[in-house]
Amino acid sequence: MDRIKIIGGEQLNGIIPISGAKNAALPLMIASLLTDDVLTLEDVPHLADVEQLIRILGNHGVDYSVNGRREHQDGVYSRTVHFTARNIVTTTAPYDLVAKMRASFWVIGPLLAREGEATVSLPGGCAIGTRPVDFILDGLRALGADITIDNGYVHARAPKGLKGAEYHFPKVTVGGTHVMLMAASLAKGETVLRNAACEPEVVNLAECLNDMGAQITGAGTPEIRIKGAKSLSGARVRVIPDRIETGTYAMAVAMTGGDVLLKGADPRQLEVVLQTLRQTGTQIEEEAEGIRIRRNSNAITPVDISTEPFPGFPTDLQAQFMGLMTRANGTAKITETVFENRFMHVQELARLGARISLSGQTATIEGVERLKGAQVMATDLRASVALVIAGLAAEGETTVNRVYHLDRGFERLEEKLSACGANIERISG
Ligand code: UD1
């Protein structure tokens, strides 16, 4: 298994290109199941989760092709991929494919809407809380689906097609909103979703579905209206920049000091995060090409945060922010409200010398003057990158084990960081 070795203490200076967002690319790829036409996605990141979803879609009959590099394109970081689901060859998504990635459960929406049936294994995915799918299933039931669960599989049927309806999510769910958007786009009549997720990735998907022929209004607000179409066509859509990758590198610079342009980053996607970083003493400037992050002084001011659905502080940046707070000049409190059990990085940060105590869903971080390199273990995607950030600022050598988690969600992480002066390398095997 690959490891990442970091010798801490270097400042970061230079340019980091921001990739297309994993969490936008995945639902957009799944939307290709809704049409027999070609769905072309630009800026698809090269990640293990994307490759895994390609395998899952392939099982249903989706062909794909990748454009070669184009001379005018800026660097090698963007890929254009064409997806075509001419015929759906099976409506069953088996356990061995779905268990590897939770988001693959979302195929249930388009398969059910287009084929009138879907049999999908209950999901696996990151070990962060129980992450049930009850609201996804209730939403599909509201559209007229008949749903049973048997031997770990969800069987969904709507032989006469889905019908528009009103559905109020009891709790904000990103995946639930994606599934309902896709299913309702091929349902008869109008669907109204209340308490819908407002994440930029939801807007990216809604715009794609509109380009394919659905009529969706209100995406990006808690109330979304969808007028379904009889059939949907192909489209060409750009994946939005990755706001979690943006926030992660911003925190890395805030941690090590230096001056980095996050090229292609969109500040509107992470206003609360940038505001919070400013409070820690980090300088942030919005430039035409992206976001510039600078920190010169030594002091990191502690700031309390609580994770919330968009536009609040994202849970996917909680671990990284905790990494930053381990070096703050004082005590910070971090409360996780989106997932239970998303503090697995605490023990690993402690191995680097961090002082953190946990009480329920709140972590109290007492900033220390220095972290010291150690062997640490990545436990999930965002936790593992928090360890990398901490390692960049720690004295001496840090080895992050089990980096396959990083490869699921961060494109060319070592390359991007070492181009800015970090002493970081991957050790294979
Ligand atoms: C997505 C993101 C993930 C991010 C999360 C929250 C992708 C691929 N993943 O995950 O990176 O951390 O949003 O921003 O986009 N819930 C239920 N019942 C349901 C569905 C969800 O109780 O039917 C709960 C979950 O357990 C969790 C909360 O709702 O506590 C939010 O989950 P959700 O927004 O659905 O997360 P994902 O879409 O899986």
Side-chain angles (χ1 to χ4, degrees), residues 22-23 26-27 102-103 106 128 130-137 171-176 178 199 243 315-316 338-340 342 382:
K22 169 180 90 76
N23 285 357
L26 299 180
R102 180 183 156 83
W106 303 343
I128 47 172
T130 50
R131 299 230 253 179
V133 293
D134 46 351
F135 306 143
I136 299 183
L137 301 185
K171 182 176 180 181
V172 175
T173 149
V174 175
H178 287 324
E199 267 69 0
R243 63 194 167 98
T315 173
D316 284 350
V338 178
F339 290 111
E340 326 137 20
R342 201 176 195 180
R382 312 304 179 185

Side-chain angles (χ1 to χ4, degrees), residues 333-385:
K333 281 193 192 309
I334 296 185
T335 305
E336 173 60 55
T337 74
V338 178
F339 290 111
E340 326 137 20
N341 189 24
R342 201 176 195 180
F343 280 134
M344 276 100 66
H345 41 283
V346 167
Q347 279 181 334
E348 298 301 307
L349 287 170
R351 292 177 58 79
L352 297 171
R355 270 197 224 134
I356 306 170
S357 61
L358 279 179
S359 167
Q361 294 293 90
T362 299
T364 303
I365 305 109
E366 230 182 283
V368 293
E369 214 161 283
R370 58 179 68 88
L371 298 175
K372 280 207 173 134
Q375 294 255 0
V376 289
M377 183 114 75
T379 47
D380 74 50
L381 172 56
R382 312 304 179 185
S384 53
V385 85

Side-chain angles (χ1 to χ4, degrees), residues 278-427:
R278 282 194 179 101
Q279 289 168 14
T280 69
T282 312
Q283 286 164 267
I284 295 171
E285 278 152 45
E286 297 174 15
E287 298 184 0
E289 281 192 291
I291 307 173
R292 184 171 295 281
I293 312 287
R294 244 182 263 169
R295 197 170 67 79
N296 306 320
S297 77
N298 270 330
I300 299 172
T301 307
V303 181
D304 295 345
I305 59 145
S306 174
T307 63
E308 303 285 349
F310 192 83
F313 194 100
T315 173
D316 284 350
L317 286 171
Q318 180 255 105
Q320 298 88 316
F321 190 71
M322 192 181 295
L324 177 60
M325 288 297 100
T326 61
R327 288 282 315 281
N329 262 357
T331 302
K333 281 193 192 309
I334 296 185
T335 305
E336 173 60 55
T337 74
V338 178
F339 290 111
E340 326 137 20
N341 189 24
R342 201 176 195 180
F343 280 134
M344 276 100 66
H345 41 283
V346 167
Q347 279 181 334
E348 298 301 307
L349 287 170
R351 292 177 58 79
L352 297 171
R355 270 197 224 134
I356 306 170
S357 61
L358 279 179
S359 167
Q361 294 293 90
T362 299
T364 303
I365 305 109
E366 230 182 283
V368 293
E369 214 161 283
R370 58 179 68 88
L371 298 175
K372 280 207 173 134
Q375 294 255 0
V376 289
M377 183 114 75
T379 47
D380 74 50
L381 172 56
R382 312 304 179 185
S384 53
V385 85
L387 296 172
V388 171
I389 292 182
L392 290 172
E395 279 175 8
E397 185 176 318
T398 294
T399 308
V400 183
N401 294 297
R402 291 208 197 157
V403 297
Y404 61 84
H405 288 295
L406 281 176
D407 297 335
R408 287 187 39 219
F410 288 90
E411 191 173 45
R412 300 165 197 265
L413 173 100
E414 324 76 274
E415 220 177 278
K416 291 186 185 186
L417 285 171
S418 56
C420 289
N423 191 336
I424 178 169
E425 65 172 324
R426 177 178 293 251
I427 304 167

Side-chain angles (χ1 to χ4, degrees), residues 240-252:
I240 57 173
D242 196 319
R243 63 194 167 98
I244 303 304
E245 192 195 25
T246 303
T248 298
Y249 289 127
M251 286 174 203

Side-chain angles (χ1 to χ4, degrees), residues 10-41:
E10 305 293 339
Q11 287 207 338
L12 294 171
N13 287 291
I15 297 176
I16 297 182
I18 297 303
S19 298
K22 169 180 90 76
N23 285 357
L26 299 180
L28 289 169
M29 289 165 65
I30 291 174
S32 70
L33 289 167
L34 288 164
T35 173
D36 60 6
D37 211 346
V38 184
L39 179 64
T40 297
L41 302 181

Side-chain angles (χ1 to χ4, degrees), residues 205-223:
L205 176 64
E207 285 172 358
C208 171
L209 294 168
N210 279 341
D211 287 351
M212 293 168 77
Q215 289 177 56
I216 301 173
T217 53
T221 75
E223 185 172 304

